[in-house]
Amino acid sequence: SLQEMKSFHRVRLLCIAFFASQLLFAAPRPSRRLRRDQSAALVALQAKGPRLEKALAYEAMETPPDEMEDLEALRKLVERHKDDPKWARVDDDRVKRHFLASKMDVATAYKRLNDLVEWQSVMFPIQPELIKPEVETGKLILQGHDKEGHPVLYTICRRHNRFKRDLNGCIANVVSVVDEAIESMPPGIGKILLVFDARELGWKQIDLKMIREAINLLQDRYPVRAYRLYAVGLPSIFSYLWSFAKKFLDPLSASKVVFLKDMQELAEFVHAEEMPAEVLGTAISPLAKGP
């Protein structure tokens, strides 16, 4: 009956609100040791207001500058490992991004890089059979660039099923696609635009563990890489909860998350012809045809 349908949707909305609050307030965090190191660095930097502001200003740049206070000290520490094959993936760009993620604290950045190297030694090379089931779902699509030239990575939420996914395969697939995005960046571009297509979001797609793992991955292994995250089609309760959650973040991180009603709004930032067919659909078909 109509009344039963209304009751069902009311309960569904309350459950989504609960999961949203868990996602936003029990937010993904780095490892305990890394949080402790970063907290110590932030306490030290807060006593040096201008330096913290400078770190955030550098982080907002497309590519980190070559000249940053104390960066050379970190480079010298990394130079010690030049003959170690495990450090082959740690180029100067990664060094600078981890330095900024550590708010320009040399000791914290060096620990981050050591952790990165150990993680890379386990993660790579990625076995094709591990990620094949994830690739076949088509839930991650790397296609085109936004109007400023950033590669665009789409997450098609409705194609995810938390009851069928393998967590290791999911994470490895994210790593594979992010690395591909980095390789595809044109000169002068150093960040990725993330599009979270949450239309038709259902119970099978609400996977807090996977979301936490993915965000931790971006924070700990690919810092200072997200240009912006556009969340499309989420229930309005998410935007409401986000207005509170973002108060616990620095203004730069908070400003990167933008809620959009539909793909027509995304077309303000990404040309329709650059979008994959999977996100266009009938609701946005007029955009694909042009004016």
Short mmCIF file of all heavy atoms in Angstrom, two decimals, residues 38-101:
data_model
loop_
_atom_site.label_atom_id
_atom_site.label_comp_id
_atom_site.label_asym_id
_atom_site.label_seq_id
_atom_site.Cartn_x
_atom_site.Cartn_y
_atom_site.Cartn_z
N GLN A 38 51.74 12.55 13.11
CA GLN A 38 51.17 13.74 12.48
C GLN A 38 50.68 14.72 13.53
O GLN A 38 50.82 15.93 13.38
CB GLN A 38 50.03 13.34 11.55
CG GLN A 38 50.51 12.65 10.29
CD GLN A 38 49.36 12.16 9.44
OE1 GLN A 38 48.33 11.75 9.96
NE2 GLN A 38 49.53 12.19 8.13
N SER A 39 50.09 14.20 14.61
CA SER A 39 49.61 15.09 15.68
C SER A 39 50.77 15.85 16.30
O SER A 39 50.67 17.05 16.56
CB SER A 39 48.89 14.28 16.76
OG SER A 39 47.74 13.68 16.22
N ALA A 40 51.88 15.15 16.52
CA ALA A 40 53.05 15.81 17.09
C ALA A 40 53.56 16.90 16.15
O ALA A 40 53.94 18.00 16.57
CB ALA A 40 54.15 14.79 17.37
N ALA A 41 53.56 16.57 14.85
CA ALA A 41 54.01 17.56 13.87
C ALA A 41 53.09 18.77 13.84
O ALA A 41 53.54 19.91 13.77
CB ALA A 41 54.07 16.91 12.48
N LEU A 42 51.77 18.53 13.94
CA LEU A 42 50.82 19.63 13.91
C LEU A 42 50.95 20.50 15.14
O LEU A 42 50.86 21.73 15.05
CB LEU A 42 49.39 19.08 13.80
CG LEU A 42 48.97 18.66 12.39
CD1 LEU A 42 47.63 17.94 12.45
CD2 LEU A 42 48.89 19.84 11.46
N VAL A 43 51.15 19.88 16.30
CA VAL A 43 51.33 20.66 17.53
C VAL A 43 52.53 21.58 17.39
O VAL A 43 52.51 22.76 17.75
CB VAL A 43 51.49 19.74 18.75
CG1 VAL A 43 51.95 20.53 19.96
CG2 VAL A 43 50.17 19.04 19.05
N ALA A 44 53.62 21.01 16.84
CA ALA A 44 54.83 21.82 16.66
C ALA A 44 54.60 22.94 15.66
O ALA A 44 55.05 24.07 15.85
CB ALA A 44 55.99 20.93 16.20
N LEU A 45 53.86 22.62 14.59
CA LEU A 45 53.64 23.62 13.55
C LEU A 45 52.66 24.70 13.99
O LEU A 45 52.78 25.85 13.57
CB LEU A 45 53.11 22.94 12.29
CG LEU A 45 54.17 22.26 11.42
CD1 LEU A 45 53.50 21.39 10.38
CD2 LEU A 45 55.10 23.26 10.78
N GLN A 46 51.71 24.35 14.83
CA GLN A 46 50.73 25.33 15.27
C GLN A 46 51.39 26.44 16.07
O GLN A 46 50.88 27.55 16.15
CB GLN A 46 49.63 24.65 16.08
CG GLN A 46 48.64 23.92 15.18
CD GLN A 46 47.73 22.99 15.94
OE1 GLN A 46 47.92 22.76 17.14
NE2 GLN A 46 46.72 22.45 15.27
N ALA A 47 52.55 26.10 16.66
CA ALA A 47 53.32 27.12 17.37
C ALA A 47 54.05 28.02 16.37
O ALA A 47 54.59 29.06 16.73
CB ALA A 47 54.32 26.47 18.32
N LYS A 48 54.08 27.58 15.11
CA LYS A 48 54.71 28.35 14.04
C LYS A 48 53.65 28.61 12.98
O LYS A 48 53.72 28.08 11.87
CB LYS A 48 55.88 27.57 13.44
CG LYS A 48 56.92 27.10 14.46
CD LYS A 48 57.96 26.22 13.79
CE LYS A 48 58.99 25.70 14.79
NZ LYS A 48 60.00 24.84 14.16
N GLY A 49 52.67 29.40 13.33
CA GLY A 49 51.53 29.64 12.46
C GLY A 49 51.86 29.87 11.01
O GLY A 49 51.28 29.23 10.13
N PRO A 50 52.79 30.76 10.70
CA PRO A 50 53.11 31.05 9.30
C PRO A 50 53.57 29.81 8.52
O PRO A 50 53.25 29.66 7.35
CB PRO A 50 54.24 32.09 9.40
CG PRO A 50 54.01 32.74 10.72
CD PRO A 50 53.51 31.66 11.62
N ARG A 51 54.30 28.91 9.20
CA ARG A 51 54.79 27.74 8.49
C ARG A 51 53.66 26.78 8.16
O ARG A 51 53.62 26.18 7.09
CB ARG A 51 55.86 27.03 9.32
CG ARG A 51 56.46 25.84 8.57
CD ARG A 51 57.65 25.28 9.25
NE ARG A 51 58.19 24.14 8.50
CZ ARG A 51 59.24 23.45 8.88
NH1 ARG A 51 59.89 23.78 9.98
NH2 ARG A 51 59.67 22.44 8.16
N LEU A 52 52.72 26.63 9.07
CA LEU A 52 51.57 25.78 8.80
C LEU A 52 50.75 26.35 7.65
O LEU A 52 50.31 25.62 6.76
CB LEU A 52 50.69 25.66 10.05
CG LEU A 52 49.41 24.84 9.91
CD1 LEU A 52 49.72 23.42 9.45
CD2 LEU A 52 48.64 24.81 11.23
N GLU A 53 50.56 27.64 7.64
CA GLU A 53 49.83 28.29 6.55
C GLU A 53 50.56 28.08 5.23
O GLU A 53 49.94 27.85 4.19
CB GLU A 53 49.68 29.78 6.84
CG GLU A 53 48.75 30.08 8.02
CD GLU A 53 48.67 31.57 8.31
OE1 GLU A 53 49.23 32.37 7.53
OE2 GLU A 53 48.05 31.93 9.33
N LYS A 54 51.89 28.13 5.30
CA LYS A 54 52.68 27.93 4.08
C LYS A 54 52.53 26.50 3.57
O LYS A 54 52.39 26.27 2.36
CB LYS A 54 54.15 28.22 4.38
CG LYS A 54 55.04 28.30 3.15
CD LYS A 54 56.48 28.65 3.52
CE LYS A 54 56.57 30.06 4.08
NZ LYS A 54 57.98 30.45 4.33
N ALA A 55 52.51 25.53 4.49
CA ALA A 55 52.35 24.13 4.09
C ALA A 55 51.01 23.92 3.39
O ALA A 55 50.92 23.24 2.37
CB ALA A 55 52.47 23.22 5.31
N LEU A 56 49.95 24.51 3.94
CA LEU A 56 48.63 24.39 3.33
C LEU A 56 48.58 25.09 1.97
O LEU A 56 47.92 24.62 1.04
CB LEU A 56 47.56 24.95 4.26
CG LEU A 56 47.31 24.15 5.54
CD1 LEU A 56 46.34 24.89 6.45
CD2 LEU A 56 46.77 22.76 5.22
N ALA A 57 49.29 26.21 1.87
CA ALA A 57 49.33 26.92 0.59
C ALA A 57 50.05 26.10 -0.47
O ALA A 57 49.61 26.02 -1.62
CB ALA A 57 50.03 28.27 0.78
N TYR A 58 51.14 25.45 -0.09
CA TYR A 58 51.85 24.57 -1.02
C TYR A 58 50.98 23.39 -1.44
O TYR A 58 50.98 22.98 -2.59
CB TYR A 58 53.14 24.04 -0.38
CG TYR A 58 54.23 25.06 -0.19
CD1 TYR A 58 55.12 24.97 0.88
CD2 TYR A 58 54.40 26.12 -1.08
CE1 TYR A 58 56.14 25.89 1.05
CE2 TYR A 58 55.41 27.05 -0.92
CZ TYR A 58 56.29 26.93 0.16
OH TYR A 58 57.29 27.85 0.34
N GLU A 59 50.24 22.85 -0.47
CA GLU A 59 49.39 21.68 -0.74
C GLU A 59 48.29 22.02 -1.74
O GLU A 59 47.84 21.17 -2.50
CB GLU A 59 48.78 21.17 0.56
CG GLU A 59 48.05 19.86 0.42
CD GLU A 59 47.51 19.33 1.74
OE1 GLU A 59 48.04 19.73 2.80
OE2 GLU A 59 46.56 18.54 1.71
N ALA A 60 47.87 23.27 -1.74
CA ALA A 60 46.81 23.69 -2.66
C ALA A 60 47.31 23.81 -4.10
O ALA A 60 46.52 23.85 -5.04
CB ALA A 60 46.23 25.03 -2.20
N MET A 61 48.63 23.85 -4.28
CA MET A 61 49.19 23.98 -5.61
C MET A 61 49.03 22.68 -6.40
O MET A 61 48.92 21.60 -5.83
CB MET A 61 50.67 24.34 -5.52
CG MET A 61 50.96 25.70 -4.92
SD MET A 61 52.75 26.02 -4.85
CE MET A 61 52.76 27.67 -4.14
N GLU A 62 49.03 22.80 -7.71
CA GLU A 62 48.89 21.63 -8.57
C GLU A 62 50.07 20.68 -8.40
O GLU A 62 49.91 19.46 -8.29
CB GLU A 62 48.80 22.08 -10.03
CG GLU A 62 48.35 20.99 -10.97
CD GLU A 62 46.91 20.55 -10.74
OE1 GLU A 62 46.03 21.42 -10.60
OE2 GLU A 62 46.68 19.34 -10.68
N THR A 63 51.26 21.23 -8.41
CA THR A 63 52.47 20.44 -8.17
C THR A 63 53.29 21.14 -7.09
O THR A 63 53.44 22.36 -7.10
CB THR A 63 53.33 20.31 -9.45
OG1 THR A 63 53.62 21.62 -9.96
CG2 THR A 63 52.58 19.54 -10.52
N PRO A 64 53.82 20.39 -6.13
CA PRO A 64 54.59 21.01 -5.04
C PRO A 64 55.84 21.70 -5.57
O PRO A 64 56.49 21.20 -6.49
CB PRO A 64 54.96 19.81 -4.14
CG PRO A 64 54.01 18.72 -4.52
CD PRO A 64 53.71 18.93 -5.97
N PRO A 65 56.18 22.84 -5.00
CA PRO A 65 57.37 23.56 -5.46
C PRO A 65 58.66 22.83 -5.08
O PRO A 65 58.67 22.02 -4.14
CB PRO A 65 57.26 24.91 -4.72
CG PRO A 65 56.43 24.61 -3.51
CD PRO A 65 55.47 23.56 -3.93
N ASP A 66 59.72 23.11 -5.80
CA ASP A 66 61.01 22.47 -5.53
C ASP A 66 61.68 23.02 -4.28
O ASP A 66 62.44 22.31 -3.61
CB ASP A 66 61.95 22.63 -6.72
CG ASP A 66 61.50 21.81 -7.92
OD1 ASP A 66 60.99 20.69 -7.68
OD2 ASP A 66 61.65 22.27 -9.05
N GLU A 67 61.41 24.27 -3.99
CA GLU A 67 62.07 24.91 -2.85
C GLU A 67 61.08 25.06 -1.70
O GLU A 67 60.20 25.91 -1.71
CB GLU A 67 62.62 26.28 -3.25
CG GLU A 67 63.62 26.24 -4.39
CD GLU A 67 64.86 25.42 -4.06
OE1 GLU A 67 65.25 25.40 -2.88
OE2 GLU A 67 65.44 24.81 -4.98
N MET A 68 61.22 24.20 -0.69
CA MET A 68 60.42 24.30 0.52
C MET A 68 61.35 24.15 1.72
O MET A 68 62.30 23.36 1.68
CB MET A 68 59.32 23.22 0.56
CG MET A 68 58.22 23.40 -0.47
SD MET A 68 56.88 22.17 -0.31
CE MET A 68 57.64 20.74 -1.08
N GLU A 69 61.04 24.87 2.75
CA GLU A 69 61.88 24.84 3.94
C GLU A 69 62.03 23.42 4.48
O GLU A 69 61.04 22.72 4.69
CB GLU A 69 61.26 25.73 5.02
CG GLU A 69 62.12 25.90 6.26
CD GLU A 69 61.46 26.83 7.28
OE1 GLU A 69 60.50 27.52 6.90
OE2 GLU A 69 61.91 26.84 8.44
N ASP A 70 63.28 22.97 4.65
CA ASP A 70 63.64 21.66 5.19
C ASP A 70 63.43 20.50 4.22
O ASP A 70 63.71 19.34 4.56
CB ASP A 70 62.89 21.34 6.49
CG ASP A 70 63.32 22.24 7.65
OD1 ASP A 70 64.45 22.74 7.61
OD2 ASP A 70 62.52 22.42 8.58
N LEU A 71 62.98 20.77 3.01
CA LEU A 71 62.80 19.70 2.04
C LEU A 71 64.13 19.03 1.71
O LEU A 71 64.20 17.81 1.54
CB LEU A 71 62.16 20.24 0.77
CG LEU A 71 62.03 19.26 -0.41
CD1 LEU A 71 61.17 18.05 0.00
CD2 LEU A 71 61.43 19.95 -1.63
N GLU A 72 65.17 19.82 1.63
CA GLU A 72 66.48 19.27 1.29
C GLU A 72 66.95 18.26 2.32
O GLU A 72 67.60 17.26 1.97
CB GLU A 72 67.51 20.40 1.13
CG GLU A 72 68.78 19.99 0.39
CD GLU A 72 68.49 19.46 -1.01
OE1 GLU A 72 67.60 20.00 -1.69
OE2 GLU A 72 69.18 18.48 -1.41
N ALA A 73 66.61 18.48 3.57
CA ALA A 73 66.99 17.54 4.63
C ALA A 73 66.32 16.18 4.39
O ALA A 73 66.93 15.12 4.59
CB ALA A 73 66.60 18.09 5.99
N LEU A 74 65.05 16.21 3.96
CA LEU A 74 64.34 14.97 3.66
C LEU A 74 64.94 14.30 2.43
O LEU A 74 65.10 13.07 2.39
CB LEU A 74 62.86 15.26 3.43
CG LEU A 74 61.98 14.07 3.07
CD1 LEU A 74 62.01 13.00 4.18
CD2 LEU A 74 60.53 14.51 2.82
N ARG A 75 65.29 15.08 1.44
CA ARG A 75 65.89 14.51 0.23
C ARG A 75 67.20 13.78 0.56
O ARG A 75 67.50 12.73 -0.02
CB ARG A 75 66.16 15.63 -0.78
CG ARG A 75 64.92 16.09 -1.54
CD ARG A 75 65.21 17.31 -2.36
NE ARG A 75 64.14 17.61 -3.32
CZ ARG A 75 63.95 18.81 -3.86
NH1 ARG A 75 64.74 19.82 -3.53
NH2 ARG A 75 62.97 19.01 -4.72
N LYS A 76 67.97 14.33 1.47
CA LYS A 76 69.23 13.69 1.85
C LYS A 76 68.99 12.34 2.53
O LYS A 76 69.75 11.38 2.33
CB LYS A 76 70.04 14.62 2.75
CG LYS A 76 70.62 15.82 2.01
CD LYS A 76 71.39 16.73 2.95
CE LYS A 76 71.97 17.93 2.19
NZ LYS A 76 72.70 18.87 3.08
N LEU A 77 67.94 12.27 3.33
CA LEU A 77 67.61 11.00 3.97
C LEU A 77 67.19 9.97 2.93
O LEU A 77 67.58 8.79 3.00
CB LEU A 77 66.47 11.20 4.98
CG LEU A 77 66.81 11.99 6.24
CD1 LEU A 77 65.54 12.25 7.06
CD2 LEU A 77 67.84 11.25 7.10
N VAL A 78 66.42 10.39 1.94
CA VAL A 78 65.96 9.50 0.88
C VAL A 78 67.14 9.08 0.00
O VAL A 78 67.20 7.93 -0.48
CB VAL A 78 64.87 10.17 0.03
CG1 VAL A 78 64.50 9.32 -1.17
CG2 VAL A 78 63.63 10.45 0.89
N GLU A 79 68.09 9.97 -0.20
CA GLU A 79 69.25 9.70 -1.04
C GLU A 79 70.04 8.50 -0.53
O GLU A 79 70.69 7.78 -1.32
CB GLU A 79 70.14 10.94 -1.09
CG GLU A 79 71.40 10.81 -1.93
CD GLU A 79 71.12 10.69 -3.43
OE1 GLU A 79 69.99 11.02 -3.85
OE2 GLU A 79 72.03 10.28 -4.17
N ARG A 80 69.98 8.24 0.75
CA ARG A 80 70.69 7.10 1.32
C ARG A 80 70.22 5.77 0.73
O ARG A 80 70.94 4.77 0.78
CB ARG A 80 70.49 7.04 2.84
CG ARG A 80 71.02 8.25 3.61
CD ARG A 80 70.64 8.09 5.08
NE ARG A 80 71.06 9.24 5.88
CZ ARG A 80 70.77 9.38 7.18
NH1 ARG A 80 70.06 8.43 7.80
NH2 ARG A 80 71.18 10.43 7.84
N HIS A 81 69.03 5.76 0.18
CA HIS A 81 68.43 4.52 -0.32
C HIS A 81 68.50 4.41 -1.84
O HIS A 81 67.80 3.57 -2.42
CB HIS A 81 66.97 4.44 0.13
CG HIS A 81 66.77 4.57 1.60
ND1 HIS A 81 66.93 3.51 2.48
CD2 HIS A 81 66.42 5.64 2.37
CE1 HIS A 81 66.67 3.92 3.72
NE2 HIS A 81 66.36 5.20 3.68
N LYS A 82 69.33 5.22 -2.46
CA LYS A 82 69.33 5.28 -3.92
C LYS A 82 69.68 3.94 -4.57
O LYS A 82 69.29 3.68 -5.72
CB LYS A 82 70.28 6.36 -4.41
CG LYS A 82 71.74 6.12 -4.07
CD LYS A 82 72.62 7.25 -4.59
CE LYS A 82 74.09 6.99 -4.26
NZ LYS A 82 74.95 8.09 -4.78
N ASP A 83 70.42 3.09 -3.87
CA ASP A 83 70.81 1.79 -4.45
C ASP A 83 69.91 0.65 -4.00
O ASP A 83 70.15 -0.51 -4.33
CB ASP A 83 72.26 1.47 -4.07
CG ASP A 83 73.25 2.49 -4.64
OD1 ASP A 83 73.02 2.94 -5.78
OD2 ASP A 83 74.22 2.83 -3.95
N ASP A 84 68.86 0.98 -3.26
CA ASP A 84 67.93 -0.03 -2.77
C ASP A 84 66.77 -0.14 -3.75
O ASP A 84 66.00 0.81 -3.92
CB ASP A 84 67.41 0.37 -1.38
CG ASP A 84 66.55 -0.71 -0.75
OD1 ASP A 84 66.12 -1.64 -1.46
OD2 ASP A 84 66.27 -0.61 0.47
N PRO A 85 66.60 -1.28 -4.41
CA PRO A 85 65.52 -1.42 -5.40
C PRO A 85 64.13 -1.21 -4.81
O PRO A 85 63.19 -0.84 -5.53
CB PRO A 85 65.69 -2.85 -5.92
CG PRO A 85 66.68 -3.52 -5.05
CD PRO A 85 67.44 -2.48 -4.32
N LYS A 86 63.97 -1.43 -3.51
CA LYS A 86 62.67 -1.23 -2.89
C LYS A 86 62.24 0.23 -2.93
O LYS A 86 61.06 0.55 -2.85
CB LYS A 86 62.68 -1.72 -1.43
CG LYS A 86 62.75 -3.23 -1.29
CD LYS A 86 62.91 -3.65 0.16
CE LYS A 86 61.69 -3.34 0.98
NZ LYS A 86 61.79 -3.89 2.36
N TRP A 87 63.22 1.14 -3.07
CA TRP A 87 62.93 2.57 -3.10
C TRP A 87 62.82 3.12 -4.53
O TRP A 87 62.71 4.33 -4.72
CB TRP A 87 64.00 3.35 -2.34
CG TRP A 87 63.85 3.25 -0.85
CD1 TRP A 87 64.08 2.16 -0.07
CD2 TRP A 87 63.39 4.28 0.04
NE1 TRP A 87 63.81 2.44 1.25
CE2 TRP A 87 63.38 3.73 1.35
CE3 TRP A 87 63.00 5.60 -0.14
CZ2 TRP A 87 63.00 4.47 2.46
CZ3 TRP A 87 62.62 6.35 0.97
CH2 TRP A 87 62.61 5.78 2.25
N ALA A 88 62.81 2.25 -5.51
CA ALA A 88 62.82 2.69 -6.91
C ALA A 88 61.59 3.51 -7.28
O ALA A 88 61.65 4.39 -8.15
CB ALA A 88 62.94 1.48 -7.84
N ARG A 89 60.45 3.24 -6.64
CA ARG A 89 59.21 3.96 -6.95
C ARG A 89 59.12 5.32 -6.25
O ARG A 89 58.19 6.08 -6.50
CB ARG A 89 57.99 3.13 -6.55
CG ARG A 89 57.75 1.91 -7.43
CD ARG A 89 56.60 1.08 -6.91
NE ARG A 89 56.24 0.02 -7.84
CZ ARG A 89 55.33 0.12 -8.80
NH1 ARG A 89 54.67 1.26 -8.95
NH2 ARG A 89 55.06 -0.89 -9.59
N VAL A 90 60.06 5.61 -5.36
CA VAL A 90 59.99 6.86 -4.60
C VAL A 90 60.75 7.95 -5.36
O VAL A 90 61.95 8.14 -5.14
CB VAL A 90 60.54 6.68 -3.17
CG1 VAL A 90 60.42 7.98 -2.38
CG2 VAL A 90 59.82 5.55 -2.45
N ASP A 91 60.06 8.64 -6.24
CA ASP A 91 60.69 9.74 -6.97
C ASP A 91 60.53 11.04 -6.18
O ASP A 91 59.91 11.07 -5.10
CB ASP A 91 60.09 9.88 -8.37
CG ASP A 91 58.58 10.08 -8.35
OD1 ASP A 91 58.02 10.41 -7.28
OD2 ASP A 91 57.94 9.92 -9.41
N ASP A 92 61.09 12.11 -6.71
CA ASP A 92 61.10 13.38 -5.97
C ASP A 92 59.70 13.94 -5.78
O ASP A 92 59.40 14.57 -4.76
CB ASP A 92 61.98 14.40 -6.69
CG ASP A 92 62.31 15.61 -5.80
OD1 ASP A 92 62.87 15.41 -4.70
OD2 ASP A 92 61.98 16.74 -6.20
N ASP A 93 58.82 13.67 -6.73
CA ASP A 93 57.45 14.16 -6.61
C ASP A 93 56.75 13.51 -5.41
O ASP A 93 56.05 14.17 -4.64
CB ASP A 93 56.66 13.87 -7.89
CG ASP A 93 55.27 14.47 -7.85
OD1 ASP A 93 55.14 15.71 -7.88
OD2 ASP A 93 54.29 13.69 -7.78
N ARG A 94 56.95 12.20 -5.23
CA ARG A 94 56.37 11.52 -4.07
C ARG A 94 56.97 12.06 -2.77
O ARG A 94 56.26 12.22 -1.78
CB ARG A 94 56.62 10.02 -4.15
CG ARG A 94 55.75 9.28 -5.15
CD ARG A 94 55.99 7.77 -5.04
NE ARG A 94 55.35 7.03 -6.10
CZ ARG A 94 54.13 6.53 -6.04
NH1 ARG A 94 53.41 6.70 -4.95
NH2 ARG A 94 53.62 5.85 -7.05
N VAL A 95 58.26 12.31 -2.79
CA VAL A 95 58.92 12.86 -1.60
C VAL A 95 58.26 14.17 -1.20
O VAL A 95 57.92 14.39 -0.03
CB VAL A 95 60.43 13.06 -1.86
CG1 VAL A 95 61.08 13.85 -0.71
CG2 VAL A 95 61.13 11.72 -2.03
N LYS A 96 58.03 15.04 -2.16
CA LYS A 96 57.44 16.35 -1.87
C LYS A 96 56.00 16.23 -1.38
O LYS A 96 55.59 16.96 -0.47
CB LYS A 96 57.52 17.25 -3.11
CG LYS A 96 58.94 17.67 -3.46
CD LYS A 96 59.00 18.71 -4.57
CE LYS A 96 58.65 18.13 -5.91
NZ LYS A 96 58.85 19.12 -7.01
N ARG A 97 55.24 15.33 -1.96
CA ARG A 97 53.84 15.19 -1.54
C ARG A 97 53.74 14.61 -0.14
O ARG A 97 52.87 15.02 0.64
CB ARG A 97 53.07 14.34 -2.57
CG ARG A 97 52.92 15.06 -3.90
CD ARG A 97 52.13 14.27 -4.92
NE ARG A 97 52.22 14.92 -6.24
CZ ARG A 97 51.48 15.94 -6.64
NH1 ARG A 97 50.56 16.44 -5.82
NH2 ARG A 97 51.64 16.48 -7.83
N HIS A 98 54.59 13.66 0.20
CA HIS A 98 54.57 13.13 1.56
C HIS A 98 55.10 14.17 2.56
O HIS A 98 54.67 14.20 3.71
CB HIS A 98 55.38 11.84 1.64
CG HIS A 98 54.62 10.64 1.13
ND1 HIS A 98 53.84 9.85 1.94
CD2 HIS A 98 54.50 10.13 -0.13
CE1 HIS A 98 53.29 8.89 1.22
NE2 HIS A 98 53.67 9.04 -0.05
N PHE A 99 56.00 15.00 2.11
CA PHE A 99 56.51 16.09 2.94
C PHE A 99 55.37 17.06 3.28
O PHE A 99 55.20 17.47 4.44
CB PHE A 99 57.63 16.81 2.19
CG PHE A 99 58.32 17.90 2.97
CD1 PHE A 99 58.89 17.65 4.20
CD2 PHE A 99 58.40 19.19 2.43
CE1 PHE A 99 59.54 18.66 4.91
CE2 PHE A 99 59.05 20.19 3.13
CZ PHE A 99 59.62 19.93 4.38
N LEU A 100 54.57 17.39 2.29
CA LEU A 100 53.44 18.29 2.52
C LEU A 100 52.37 17.62 3.37
O LEU A 100 51.75 18.26 4.23
CB LEU A 100 52.85 18.75 1.18
CG LEU A 100 53.69 19.75 0.40
CD1 LEU A 100 53.01 20.10 -0.92
CD2 LEU A 100 53.92 21.02 1.21
N ALA A 101 52.12 16.33 3.13
CA ALA A 101 51.13 15.61 3.94
C ALA A 101 51.54 15.57 5.40
O ALA A 101 50.69 15.45 6.28
CB ALA A 101 50.95 14.20 3.40
#
